[in-house]
């Protein structure tokens, strides 16, 4: 069990406490540090948990970030505890060389390292509804490689509904800036193939079930309202420059 300390992640009080805190404006009181000791840490959300309303509710965001993501970080650090040389590597390098990871911890690192990488990307590419759409080189790449934003959204949503059980849908980007659509099971990530995710959407039930229940297609459609295309454009530029990590 994770022990709370002083930072700004969910405390063990649970969803009911979070709902009360959000509704009364006391969001900070619903958070405490659950980050375990180790080389990897839980990144703070770059916005308030309620910032994505009404498309993604604050309660889901709080639990998703402060419980699920925090658990991936804790378990990843636990798996690396006795593997100091491995723990010194960047996460993208560890995941790109899973076949070289000791078999005893390989599955734990695959699942939890992938979960940490995927969610770290996920929080970065979202923001308050109402921002501008893709622009500049990013828009040109979406048009040329994926048939435009509308076709991308349609294909992306279809791929998301077809993921059996839990997984992710990604748009990947190579160093030349070329885009492609892929889906992955569980917490697998394009990093495991030496690739990079430009964007990705989490279709595990914990990402949407409180608000959308079994209506994954509705969640996938609504999610586009909170994509932060400015942040995505920055990731695209970093990918072309060879500096995009997670």
């Amino acid at each position: 069990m994770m022990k709370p300390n002083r930072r700004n992640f969910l405390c063990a009080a649970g969803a009911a406490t979070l709902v009360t805190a959000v509704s009364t404006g006391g969001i900070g009181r619903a958070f405490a540090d659950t980050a375990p000791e180790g080389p990897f840490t839980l990144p703070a959300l770059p916005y308030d948990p309620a910032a994505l309303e009404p498309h993604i509710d604050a309660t889901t965001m709080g639990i998703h970030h402060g419980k699920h993501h925090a658990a991936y970080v804790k378990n990843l650090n636990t798996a690396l505890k006795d593997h100091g040389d491995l723990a010194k590597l960047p996460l993208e390098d560890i995941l790109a060389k899973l076949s070289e990871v000791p078999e005893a911890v390989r599955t734990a690192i695959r699942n939890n390292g992938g979960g940490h990488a995927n969610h770290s990307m996920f929080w970065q590419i979202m923001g308050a509804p109402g921002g501008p759409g893709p622009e500049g080189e990013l828009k040109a790449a979406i048009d040329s490689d994926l048939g435009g934003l509308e076709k991308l959204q349609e294909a992306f949503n279809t791929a998301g509904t077809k993921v059996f059980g839990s997984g992710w849908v990604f748009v990947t980007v190579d160093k030349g800036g070329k885009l492609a659509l892929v889906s992955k099971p569980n917490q697998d990530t394009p990093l495991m193939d030496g690739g990079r995710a430009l964007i990705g959407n989490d279709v595990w039930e914990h990402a949407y079930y409180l608000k959308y229940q079994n209506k994954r297609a509705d969640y996938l459609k609504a999610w586009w309202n909170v994509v932060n295309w400015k942040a995505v454009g920055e990731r695209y530029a970093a990918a072309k420059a060879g500096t995009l990590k997670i």
Side-chain angles (χ1 to χ4, degrees):
M1 180 178 295
M2 294 175 288
K3 296 181 180 180
N5 49 44
R6 298 181 183 177
R7 303 194 188 197
N8 61 342
F9 311 127
L10 274 180
C11 66
T17 300
L18 178 63
V19 172
T20 301
V22 170
S23 65
T24 59
I27 291 174
R29 293 194 298 274
F31 287 82
D33 183 10
T34 56
E37 295 183 0
F40 296 103
T41 59
L42 179 65
L45 285 176
Y47 35 73
D48 187 276
L52 309 186
E53 295 268 12
H55 308 290
I56 302 180
D57 59 284
T59 305
T60 293
M61 285 296 296
I63 295 171
H64 196 172
H65 173 262
K67 296 292 187 180
H68 290 281
H69 190 176
Y72 294 129
V73 176
K74 179 180 186 298
N75 294 335
L76 175 61
N77 285 334
T78 298
L80 290 168
K81 180 168 59 71
D82 298 322
H83 301 275
D85 289 343
L86 193 61
K88 294 175 184 177
L89 296 175
L91 182 56
E92 60 270 21
D93 291 351
I94 297 174
L95 294 175
K97 299 178 180 179
L98 276 174
S99 63
E100 301 175 21
V101 170
E103 187 174 357
V105 294
R106 189 179 302 152
T107 297
I109 290 175
R110 181 186 197 106
N111 292 340
N112 294 289
H116 180 35
N118 285 338
H119 286 86
S120 296
M121 173 275 301
F122 191 53
W123 313 131
Q124 292 175 18
I125 63 163
M126 296 190 294
E135 299 175 334
E137 289 189 345
L138 173 61
K139 181 181 185 303
I142 291 173
D143 290 344
S144 63
D145 297 339
L146 300 170
L149 182 58
E150 185 175 343
K151 287 189 176 180
L152 162 60
Q153 290 172 329
E154 181 180 353
F156 190 101
N157 293 352
T158 297
T161 60
K162 289 182 177 179
V163 172
F164 184 77
S166 301
W168 288 74
V169 185
F170 299 98
V171 172
T172 60
V173 56
D174 66 19
K175 289 183 179 180
K178 187 170 180 58
L179 307 180
L181 180 66
V182 300
S183 58
K184 296 283 187 181
N186 302 314
Q187 290 297 347
D188 283 5
T189 162
L191 294 167
M192 295 171 183
D193 305 318
R196 293 293 183 273
L198 178 66
I199 64 172
N201 194 2
D202 186 347
V203 295
W204 284 61
E205 287 186 344
H206 64 237
Y208 63 87
Y209 208 83
L210 290 180
K211 181 175 179 65
Y212 295 95
Q213 290 83 48
N214 63 321
K215 300 174 183 177
R216 184 191 286 181
D218 289 354
Y219 159 71
L220 284 160
K221 182 178 180 180
W223 178 76
W224 292 101
N225 291 289
V226 298
V227 174
N228 181 343
W229 288 108
K230 182 178 183 294
V232 177
E234 292 169 354
R235 288 180 64 83
Y236 183 74
K240 292 187 69 176
T243 60
L244 182 61
K245 303 301 183 183
I246 298 299

